[in-house]
Coordinates of all heavy atoms in Angstrom, one line a residue:
M22 N 133.0 70.5 145.9 CA 132.5 70.2 144.6 C 132.6 68.7 144.4 O 133.6 68.0 144.7 CB 133.4 70.9 143.6 CG 133.0 70.6 142.1 SD 134.1 71.4 140.9 CE 133.5 73.0 141.0
T23 N 131.5 68.1 143.9 CA 131.5 66.6 143.6 C 132.1 66.4 142.2 O 132.1 67.2 141.3 CB 130.1 66.1 143.7 OG1 129.3 66.7 142.7 CG2 129.5 66.3 145.1
T24 N 132.6 65.2 142.1 CA 133.2 64.8 140.8 C 132.5 63.6 140.2 O 132.2 62.6 140.9 CB 134.7 64.4 141.0 OG1 135.3 65.5 141.7 CG2 135.4 64.2 139.7
N25 N 132.2 63.6 139.0 CA 131.5 62.5 138.3 C 132.6 61.5 138.1 O 133.6 61.7 137.5 CB 131.0 63.0 136.9 CG 130.4 62.0 136.1 OD1 130.8 60.8 136.1 ND2 129.4 62.4 135.3
T26 N 132.4 60.3 138.6 CA 133.4 59.2 138.6 C 133.8 58.8 137.2 O 134.9 58.6 136.9 CB 132.9 58.0 139.4 OG1 132.5 58.4 140.7 CG2 133.9 56.9 139.5
A27 N 132.8 58.7 136.3 CA 133.1 58.3 134.9 C 134.0 59.4 134.3 O 135.0 59.0 133.6 CB 131.8 58.1 134.1
T28 N 133.7 60.6 134.5 CA 134.6 61.7 134.0 C 136.0 61.7 134.5 O 136.9 61.9 133.8 CB 133.9 63.1 134.3 OG1 132.6 63.1 133.7 CG2 134.7 64.2 133.7
T29 N 136.1 61.4 135.8 CA 137.4 61.4 136.5 C 138.2 60.2 135.9 O 139.4 60.4 135.6 CB 137.2 61.2 138.0 OG1 136.4 62.2 138.5 CG2 138.5 61.1 138.7
E30 N 137.6 59.1 135.7 CA 138.3 57.9 135.2 C 138.8 58.2 133.7 O 139.9 57.9 133.3 CB 137.5 56.7 135.2 CG 137.3 56.2 136.6 CD 136.3 55.0 136.7 OE1 135.9 54.4 135.6 OE2 136.0 54.6 137.8
K31 N 138.0 58.9 133.0 CA 138.3 59.2 131.6 C 139.4 60.2 131.4 O 140.2 60.1 130.5 CB 137.1 59.6 130.8 CG 137.2 59.8 129.4 CD 135.9 60.1 128.7 CE 136.2 60.3 127.2 NZ 135.0 60.5 126.4
T32 N 139.4 61.2 132.3 CA 140.4 62.3 132.2 C 141.5 62.3 133.2 O 142.5 63.0 133.0 CB 139.6 63.7 132.3 OG1 139.1 63.8 133.6 CG2 138.5 63.8 131.3
G33 N 141.3 61.6 134.3 CA 142.3 61.7 135.4 C 142.1 62.9 136.2 O 142.9 63.1 137.2
A34 N 141.1 63.7 136.0 CA 140.9 64.9 136.8 C 140.2 64.6 138.1 O 139.6 63.6 138.2 CB 140.0 65.9 136.0
R35 N 140.4 65.5 139.0 CA 139.8 65.3 140.4 C 138.6 66.2 140.6 O 138.0 66.1 141.6 CB 140.9 65.5 141.4 CG 141.9 64.4 141.3 CD 142.9 64.6 142.5 NE 143.9 63.5 142.4 CZ 144.2 62.7 143.4 NH1 143.6 62.9 144.5 NH2 145.1 61.8 143.2
T36 N 138.4 67.1 139.6 CA 137.2 68.0 139.7 C 136.5 68.0 138.4 O 137.1 67.8 137.3 CB 137.5 69.4 140.1 OG1 138.3 70.0 139.1 CG2 138.3 69.5 141.4
D37 N 135.2 68.3 138.4 CA 134.4 68.5 137.2 C 135.0 69.6 136.3 O 135.0 69.5 135.1 CB 132.9 68.7 137.5 CG 132.2 67.5 138.0 OD1 132.7 66.3 137.8 OD2 131.2 67.6 138.7
E38 N 135.4 70.7 137.0 CA 135.9 71.8 136.2 C 137.2 71.4 135.5 O 137.3 71.7 134.3 CB 136.3 72.9 137.2 CG 136.8 74.2 136.5 CD 137.1 75.3 137.5 OE1 136.2 75.7 138.2 OE2 138.3 75.7 137.5
A39 N 138.1 70.7 136.1 CA 139.3 70.2 135.5 C 139.0 69.2 134.4 O 139.6 69.2 133.3 CB 140.3 69.6 136.5
A40 N 138.0 68.3 134.6 CA 137.6 67.3 133.6 C 137.0 68.0 132.4 O 137.3 67.6 131.3 CB 136.6 66.4 134.2
T41 N 136.3 69.1 132.6 CA 135.8 69.8 131.4 C 136.9 70.4 130.6 O 136.9 70.4 129.4 CB 134.8 70.9 131.9 OG1 133.7 70.2 132.5 CG2 134.2 71.7 130.7
L42 N 137.8 71.1 131.3 CA 139.0 71.7 130.7 C 139.8 70.7 129.9 O 140.1 70.9 128.7 CB 139.9 72.4 131.7 CG 141.1 73.0 131.2 CD1 140.7 74.3 130.4 CD2 142.1 73.4 132.3
I43 N 140.0 69.5 130.5 CA 140.8 68.4 129.8 C 140.0 67.9 128.6 O 140.6 67.7 127.6 CB 141.1 67.3 130.8 CG1 142.1 67.8 131.9 CG2 141.6 66.1 130.1 CD1 142.3 66.9 133.1
G44 N 138.8 67.7 128.8 CA 137.9 67.2 127.7 C 138.0 68.2 126.5 O 138.2 67.8 125.3
D45 N 137.8 69.5 126.8 CA 137.9 70.5 125.7 C 139.3 70.5 125.0 O 139.4 70.6 123.8 CB 137.5 71.9 126.2 CG 136.1 72.0 126.7 OD1 135.3 71.1 126.3 OD2 135.8 73.0 127.4
A46 N 140.3 70.4 125.9 CA 141.7 70.5 125.3 C 142.0 69.2 124.5 O 142.6 69.3 123.4 CB 142.7 70.6 126.4
R47 N 141.4 68.1 124.9 CA 141.6 66.9 124.1 C 140.9 66.9 122.8 O 141.4 66.4 121.8 CB 141.2 65.7 124.9 CG 142.1 65.2 126.0 CD 141.7 64.0 126.7 NE 142.6 63.6 127.7 CZ 142.4 62.7 128.6 NH1 141.3 62.1 128.7 NH2 143.4 62.4 129.5
E48 N 139.8 67.6 122.7 CA 139.1 67.8 121.5 C 139.9 68.6 120.5 O 140.0 68.3 119.3 CB 137.7 68.4 121.7 CG 136.7 67.5 122.2 CD 135.3 68.1 122.4 OE1 135.0 69.2 121.7 OE2 134.5 67.6 123.2
R49 N 140.5 69.6 121.1 CA 141.4 70.5 120.3 C 142.6 69.7 119.8 O 143.0 69.9 118.6 CB 141.8 71.7 121.1 CG 142.8 72.7 120.4 CD 142.0 73.7 119.7 NE 142.8 74.4 118.7 CZ 143.7 75.4 118.9 NH1 143.8 75.8 120.1 NH2 144.4 75.9 117.9
I50 N 143.2 68.9 120.6 CA 144.3 68.1 120.2 C 143.9 67.1 119.1 O 144.7 67.0 118.1 CB 144.9 67.3 121.4 CG1 145.7 68.3 122.3 CG2 145.8 66.2 121.0 CD1 146.3 67.7 123.6
D51 N 142.8 66.5 119.3 CA 142.3 65.6 118.2 C 142.2 66.3 116.9 O 142.5 65.8 115.8 CB 141.0 64.9 118.6 CG 141.2 63.9 119.8 OD1 142.3 63.5 120.1 OD2 140.1 63.5 120.4
S52 N 141.6 67.5 116.9 CA 141.5 68.3 115.7 C 142.8 68.7 115.1 O 143.0 68.6 113.9 CB 140.7 69.6 116.0 OG 140.6 70.4 114.9
L53 N 143.8 69.0 116.0 CA 145.1 69.4 115.5 C 145.8 68.1 114.9 O 146.4 68.2 113.8 CB 146.0 69.9 116.7 CG 145.6 71.3 117.1 CD1 146.3 71.6 118.5 CD2 146.0 72.3 116.1
D54 N 145.6 67.0 115.6 CA 146.2 65.7 115.0 C 145.6 65.4 113.6 O 146.4 65.0 112.7 CB 145.9 64.6 116.0 CG 146.8 64.6 117.2 OD1 147.9 65.3 117.2 OD2 146.5 63.9 118.2
D55 N 144.3 65.6 113.5 CA 143.7 65.4 112.1 C 144.4 66.3 111.1 O 144.6 65.9 110.0 CB 142.2 65.6 112.2 CG 141.5 64.5 112.9 OD1 142.1 63.4 113.1 OD2 140.3 64.7 113.3
R56 N 144.6 67.6 111.5 CA 145.2 68.5 110.5 C 146.6 68.1 110.2 O 147.1 68.2 109.1 CB 145.1 69.9 111.1 CG 143.7 70.5 111.1 CD 143.5 71.8 111.8 NE 144.5 72.8 111.5 CZ 144.7 73.8 112.3 NH1 144.1 74.0 113.4 NH2 145.7 74.7 111.9
I57 N 147.4 67.7 111.3 CA 148.8 67.3 111.1 C 148.8 66.1 110.1 O 149.7 66.1 109.2 CB 149.5 67.0 112.4 CG1 149.6 68.3 113.2 CG2 150.8 66.3 112.2 CD1 150.0 68.1 114.7
I58 N 148.0 65.1 110.4 CA 147.9 63.9 109.5 C 147.6 64.3 108.1 O 148.3 63.9 107.1 CB 146.9 62.9 110.0 CG1 147.4 62.3 111.3 CG2 146.6 61.8 109.0 CD1 146.4 61.5 112.1
G59 N 146.7 65.2 107.9 CA 146.4 65.7 106.5 C 147.5 66.4 105.9 O 147.8 66.2 104.7
L60 N 148.3 67.2 106.6 CA 149.4 67.9 106.1 C 150.5 66.9 105.7 O 151.2 67.1 104.7 CB 149.9 68.9 107.1 CG 149.1 70.2 107.2 CD1 149.5 71.0 108.4 CD2 149.0 71.0 106.0
I61 N 150.7 65.9 106.5 CA 151.7 64.9 106.2 C 151.3 64.1 105.0 O 152.2 63.9 104.1 CB 152.0 63.9 107.4 CG1 152.7 64.7 108.5 CG2 152.8 62.7 107.0 CD1 152.8 63.9 109.8
Q62 N 150.1 63.8 104.8 CA 149.6 63.1 103.6 C 149.8 64.0 102.4 O 150.2 63.6 101.3 CB 148.1 62.7 103.7 CG 147.9 61.6 104.7 CD 146.5 61.3 105.1 OE1 145.6 62.2 105.0 NE2 146.2 60.1 105.4
E63 N 149.6 65.3 102.6 CA 149.8 66.3 101.5 C 151.3 66.3 101.1 O 151.7 66.3 100.0 CB 149.3 67.6 101.8 CG 149.4 68.7 100.8 CD 148.8 70.0 101.2 OE1 148.1 70.1 102.2 OE2 149.1 71.0 100.4
R64 N 152.1 66.3 102.2 CA 153.6 66.4 101.9 C 154.0 65.1 101.2 O 154.9 65.1 100.4 CB 154.3 66.5 103.3 CG 155.8 66.8 103.1 CD 156.6 66.7 104.4 NE 157.9 67.2 104.3 CZ 158.9 66.6 103.7 NH1 158.7 65.5 103.1 NH2 160.1 67.2 103.7
M65 N 153.5 63.9 101.6 CA 153.8 62.7 100.9 C 153.5 62.8 99.4 O 154.3 62.3 98.6 CB 153.0 61.5 101.6 CG 153.5 61.2 103.0 SD 152.4 60.1 103.9 CE 152.5 58.6 102.9
A66 N 152.3 63.4 99.1 CA 151.9 63.5 97.7 C 152.9 64.4 96.9 O 153.3 64.1 95.8 CB 150.5 64.0 97.6
V67 N 153.3 65.5 97.5 CA 154.2 66.4 96.9 C 155.6 65.8 96.7 O 156.2 65.9 95.7 CB 154.3 67.8 97.7 CG1 155.4 68.7 97.1 CG2 153.0 68.5 97.7
S68 N 156.0 65.1 97.7 CA 157.3 64.3 97.7 C 157.3 63.3 96.5 O 158.3 63.2 95.8 CB 157.5 63.7 99.0 OG 158.8 63.0 99.0
A69 N 156.2 62.6 96.4 CA 156.1 61.7 95.3 C 156.2 62.3 93.9 O 156.9 61.8 93.0 CB 154.7 60.9 95.3
V70 N 155.7 63.5 93.8 CA 155.8 64.3 92.5 C 157.3 64.6 92.3 O 157.8 64.4 91.2 CB 155.0 65.6 92.5 CG1 155.3 66.5 91.4 CG2 153.5 65.3 92.5
I71 N 158.0 65.0 93.3 CA 159.4 65.4 93.2 C 160.2 64.1 92.9 O 161.1 64.2 92.0 CB 159.9 66.0 94.5 CG1 159.3 67.4 94.7 CG2 161.4 66.1 94.6 CD1 159.5 68.0 96.1
Q72 N 159.9 63.0 93.6 CA 160.7 61.8 93.3 C 160.5 61.3 91.9 O 161.4 60.9 91.2 CB 160.3 60.7 94.3 CG 160.8 61.0 95.7 CD 160.2 60.0 96.7 OE1 160.4 58.8 96.5 NE2 159.6 60.4 97.8
E73 N 159.2 61.4 91.4 CA 158.9 61.0 90.0 C 159.7 61.8 89.0 O 160.3 61.3 88.1 CB 157.4 61.1 89.8 CG 157.0 60.7 88.4 CD 157.0 59.3 88.1 OE1 156.8 58.5 89.0 OE2 157.2 58.9 86.9
A74 N 159.7 63.1 89.2 CA 160.5 64.0 88.3 C 161.9 63.7 88.4 O 162.6 63.7 87.3 CB 160.2 65.5 88.7
R75 N 162.5 63.5 89.6 CA 163.9 63.2 89.7 C 164.3 61.9 89.0 O 165.2 61.9 88.2 CB 164.3 63.2 91.2 CG 165.8 63.2 91.4 CD 166.2 63.2 92.9 NE 165.7 64.4 93.6 CZ 164.9 64.3 94.7 NH1 164.6 63.2 95.2 NH2 164.6 65.4 95.3
I76 N 163.5 60.9 89.2 CA 163.8 59.6 88.6 C 163.6 59.6 87.1 O 164.4 59.1 86.4 CB 162.9 58.5 89.2 CG1 163.3 58.2 90.7 CG2 162.9 57.2 88.4 CD1 162.3 57.4 91.5
T77 N 162.5 60.3 86.7 CA 162.3 60.4 85.2 C 163.4 61.1 84.5 O 163.8 60.8 83.4 CB 160.9 61.1 85.0 OG1 159.9 60.4 85.6 CG2 160.6 61.3 83.5
S78 N 164.0 62.0 85.2 CA 165.1 62.8 84.6 C 166.5 62.1 84.7 O 167.5 62.6 84.4 CB 165.2 64.2 85.2 OG 165.7 64.1 86.5
G79 N 166.5 60.9 85.3 CA 167.7 60.1 85.5 C 168.4 60.3 86.8 O 169.5 59.8 87.0
G80 N 167.7 61.0 87.7 CA 168.3 61.2 89.0 C 167.9 60.1 90.0 O 167.2 59.1 89.7
R81 N 168.4 60.3 91.2 CA 168.1 59.3 92.3 C 166.8 59.7 92.9 O 166.4 60.8 92.9 CB 169.2 59.4 93.3 CG 170.6 58.9 92.8 CD 171.6 59.0 93.8 NE 171.3 58.0 94.8 CZ 172.2 57.5 95.6 NH1 173.4 57.8 95.6 NH2 171.8 56.6 96.6
R82 N 166.2 58.7 93.5 CA 164.9 58.9 94.2 C 165.0 59.9 95.4 O 164.2 60.7 95.6 CB 164.3 57.6 94.7 CG 163.0 57.7 95.4 CD 162.4 56.3 95.7 NE 163.3 55.4 96.4 CZ 163.5 55.3 97.7 NH1 162.7 56.0 98.5 NH2 164.3 54.5 98.2
V83 N 166.1 59.8 96.1 CA 166.3 60.6 97.4 C 167.5 61.5 97.2 O 168.5 61.2 96.6 CB 166.6 59.6 98.5 CG1 166.9 60.4 99.8 CG2 165.4 58.7 98.8
N84 N 167.3 62.7 97.7 CA 168.4 63.7 97.6 C 168.8 63.9 99.1 O 168.2 64.6 99.9 CB 167.8 65.1 97.1 CG 168.9 66.2 97.0 OD1 169.8 66.2 97.8 ND2 168.7 67.1 96.1
L85 N 169.9 63.3 99.4 CA 170.4 63.3 100.8 C 170.7 64.7 101.3 O 170.5 65.0 102.5 CB 171.6 62.3 101.0 CG 171.3 60.9 100.7 CD1 172.5 60.0 100.9 CD2 170.2 60.4 101.7
A86 N 171.3 65.5 100.5 CA 171.6 66.9 100.9 C 170.3 67.6 101.4 O 170.3 68.3 102.4 CB 172.3 67.7 99.8
R87 N 169.2 67.4 100.6 CA 167.9 68.1 100.9 C 167.4 67.5 102.2 O 166.9 68.2 103.1 CB 166.9 67.9 99.8 CG 165.5 68.3 100.1 CD 165.4 69.8 100.4 NE 164.0 70.1 100.7 CZ 163.7 71.1 101.5 NH1 164.6 71.9 102.0 NH2 162.4 71.3 101.7
E88 N 167.5 66.2 102.4 CA 167.1 65.6 103.6 C 167.8 66.1 104.9 O 167.2 66.3 105.9 CB 167.2 64.0 103.6 CG 166.1 63.4 102.6 CD 165.9 61.9 102.8 OE1 166.6 61.3 103.6 OE2 165.0 61.4 102.1
M89 N 169.1 66.4 104.7 CA 169.9 66.9 105.8 C 169.4 68.4 106.1 O 169.3 68.7 107.3 CB 171.4 67.0 105.5 CG 172.0 65.6 105.3 SD 171.7 64.5 106.8 CE 172.7 65.4 108.0
E90 N 169.0 69.1 105.1 CA 168.4 70.4 105.3 C 167.1 70.3 106.2 O 166.9 71.1 107.1 CB 168.1 71.1 104.0 CG 169.3 71.6 103.2 CD 168.8 72.2 101.9 OE1 167.6 72.6 101.7 OE2 169.7 72.3 101.0
V91 N 166.3 69.4 105.8 CA 165.0 69.2 106.5 C 165.2 68.7 107.9 O 164.6 69.3 108.9 CB 164.1 68.1 105.7 CG1 162.9 67.7 106.6 CG2 163.7 68.6 104.4
L92 N 166.2 67.8 108.1 CA 166.5 67.4 109.5 C 167.0 68.6 110.3 O 166.6 68.7 111.5 CB 167.6 66.3 109.5 CG 167.1 65.0 108.9 CD1 168.4 64.0 108.7 CD2 166.1 64.3 109.8
G93 N 167.8 69.4 109.8 CA 168.3 70.6 110.5 C 167.2 71.6 110.8 O 167.2 72.1 111.9
H94 N 166.3 71.7 109.9 CA 165.2 72.7 110.1 C 164.3 72.2 111.3 O 164.0 73.0 112.2 CB 164.4 72.7 108.8 CG 163.2 73.7 108.9 ND1 163.3 75.0 109.0 CD2 161.9 73.4 108.9 CE1 162.1 75.6 109.1 NE2 161.2 74.6 109.0
Y95 N 164.0 70.9 111.3 CA 163.2 70.4 112.4 C 164.0 70.4 113.7 O 163.4 70.7 114.8 CB 162.8 68.9 112.1 CG 161.5 68.9 111.3 CD1 161.5 69.3 109.9 CD2 160.3 68.4 111.8 CE1 160.3 69.2 109.2 CE2 159.2 68.3 111.1 CZ 159.2 68.7 109.7 OH 158.0 68.7 109.0
R96 N 165.2 70.1 113.7 CA 166.1 70.1 114.9 C 166.1 71.6 115.5 O 166.0 71.8 116.7 CB 167.5 69.6 114.6 CG 168.3 69.5 115.9 CD 169.8 69.3 115.6 NE 170.3 70.3 114.7 CZ 170.8 70.2 113.5 NH1 170.7 69.0 112.9 NH2 171.2 71.2 112.8
D97 N 166.3 72.5 114.6 CA 166.4 73.9 115.0 C 165.1 74.4 115.6 O 165.1 75.2 116.6 CB 166.8 74.8 113.9 CG 168.3 74.6 113.4 OD1 169.0 73.9 114.1 OD2 168.6 75.1 112.3
A98 N 164.0 74.0 115.0 CA 162.7 74.4 115.5 C 162.2 73.7 116.7 O 161.6 74.3 117.6 CB 161.7 74.3 114.4
L99 N 162.6 72.4 116.9 CA 162.0 71.6 117.9 C 163.0 70.9 118.8 O 162.6 70.1 119.7 CB 161.1 70.5 117.3 CG 160.0 71.0 116.4 CD1 159.3 69.8 115.6 CD2 158.9 71.8 117.1
G100 N 164.2 71.1 118.6 CA 165.3 70.5 119.5 C 165.5 69.1 119.0 O 165.1 68.6 117.9
K101 N 166.3 68.3 119.8 CA 166.7 67.0 119.4 C 165.5 66.1 119.0 O 165.6 65.3 118.0 CB 167.5 66.3 120.5 CG 168.0 65.0 120.2 CD 168.9 64.4 121.3 CE 169.4 63.0 120.9 NZ 170.2 62.4 122.0
P102 N 164.3 66.1 119.7 CA 163.2 65.3 119.3 C 162.7 65.6 117.9 O 162.1 64.8 117.2 CB 162.1 65.5 120.4 CG 162.9 66.0 121.6 CD 164.1 66.8 121.0
G103 N 162.9 66.9 117.5 CA 162.5 67.3 116.1 C 163.2 66.5 115.0 O 162.7 66.2 114.0
T104 N 164.5 66.1 115.3 CA 165.2 65.3 114.4 C 164.6 63.9 114.2 O 164.4 63.4 113.1 CB 166.7 65.1 114.8 OG1 167.3 66.3 115.0 CG2 167.5 64.3 113.8
A105 N 164.1 63.3 115.3 CA 163.5 62.0 115.2 C 162.1 62.1 114.4 O 161.8 61.3 113.6 CB 163.2 61.4 116.6
L106 N 161.4 63.2 114.7 CA 160.2 63.5 114.0 C 160.4 63.6 112.5 O 159.7 63.1 111.7 CB 159.5 64.7 114.6 CG 158.2 65.2 114.0 CD1 157.1 64.1 114.1 CD2 157.7 66.5 114.6
A107 N 161.4 64.4 112.2 CA 161.7 64.6 110.8 C 162.1 63.3 110.1 O 161.7 63.0 108.9 CB 162.8 65.6 110.6
M108 N 162.9 62.5 110.8 CA 163.3 61.2 110.2 C 162.1 60.3 109.9 O 162.0 59.7 108.8 CB 164.2 60.4 111.2 CG 165.6 61.0 111.3 SD 166.5 60.8 109.7 CE 166.7 59.1 109.6
T109 N 161.1 60.3 110.8 CA 159.9 59.6 110.6 C 159.1 60.1 109.4 O 158.6 59.4 108.6 CB 159.0 59.6 111.9 OG1 159.7 59.0 112.9 CG2 157.7 58.8 111.7
M110 N 159.0 61.4 109.4 CA 158.3 62.1 108.2 C 159.0 61.8 106.9 O 158.3 61.4 105.9 CB 158.2 63.6 108.5 CG 157.3 64.2 107.5 SD 157.7 65.9 107.0 CE 159.5 65.9 107.1
L111 N 160.3 61.9 106.9 CA 161.0 61.6 105.6 C 160.8 60.1 105.2 O 160.7 59.8 104.1 CB 162.5 61.9 105.8 CG 162.8 63.4 105.9 CD1 164.3 63.6 106.3 CD2 162.6 64.1 104.6
E112 N 160.8 59.2 106.2 CA 160.6 57.8 105.9 C 159.2 57.6 105.3 O 159.1 56.8 104.3 CB 160.7 57.0 107.2 CG 160.6 55.5 106.9 CD 160.8 54.7 108.2 OE1 161.3 55.2 109.2 OE2 160.3 53.5 108.2
L113 N 158.2 58.3 105.8 CA 156.9 58.2 105.3 C 156.8 58.7 103.8 O 156.0 58.2 103.0 CB 155.9 59.0 106.1 CG 155.5 58.4 107.4 CD1 154.8 59.5 108.3 CD2 154.6 57.2 107.2
C114 N 157.7 59.7 103.5 CA 157.6 60.3 102.2 C 158.5 59.7 101.1 O 158.4 60.1 100.0 CB 158.0 61.8 102.4 SG 156.8 62.8 103.3
R115 N 159.3 58.7 101.5 CA 160.2 58.1 100.5 C 159.5 56.9 99.9 O 158.7 56.2 100.5 CB 161.4 57.5 101.2 CG 162.4 58.5 101.7 CD 163.6 57.8 102.2 NE 164.3 58.7 103.1 CZ 164.7 58.4 104.3 NH1 164.3 57.3 104.9 NH2 165.3 59.3 105.1
G116 N 159.8 56.7 98.6 CA 159.4 55.5 97.9 C 158.0 55.2 97.7 O 157.5 54.1 97.7
R117 N 157.2 56.3 97.6 CA 155.7 56.1 97.4 C 155.3 56.1 96.0 O 154.1 56.1 95.7 CB 155.0 57.2 98.2 CG 155.2 57.2 99.6 CD 154.5 56.0 100.3 NE 154.7 56.1 101.7 CZ 154.4 55.1 102.5 NH1 154.0 54.0 102.0 NH2 154.5 55.3 103.8
I118 N 156.3 56.1 95.0 CA 155.9 56.1 93.6 C 156.1 54.8 93.0 O 156.7 53.9 93.5 CB 156.7 57.2 92.9 CG1 158.2 57.0 93.0 CG2 156.3 58.6 93.4 CD1 159.0 57.9 92.2

């Protein structure tokens, strides 16, 4: 089976069949990434509503106990890297009001 050189360079595959599979999978990943970004943006908006309500009522912007729950949830679901992911997400969601 011959391999298209441009396809091989783009995907790292050694066959056209593998290049097609990789290309299709990358399209799916790009679509998933778009959905994940959208969900994070939605979470940021909901977090801003919560922070606004908390501050307006005289509370603090951040609830550390709740953040610890979120960190634990991500760690339990995704292992140690989940904690880093949750920290990044929480950072994105803080202070947007």
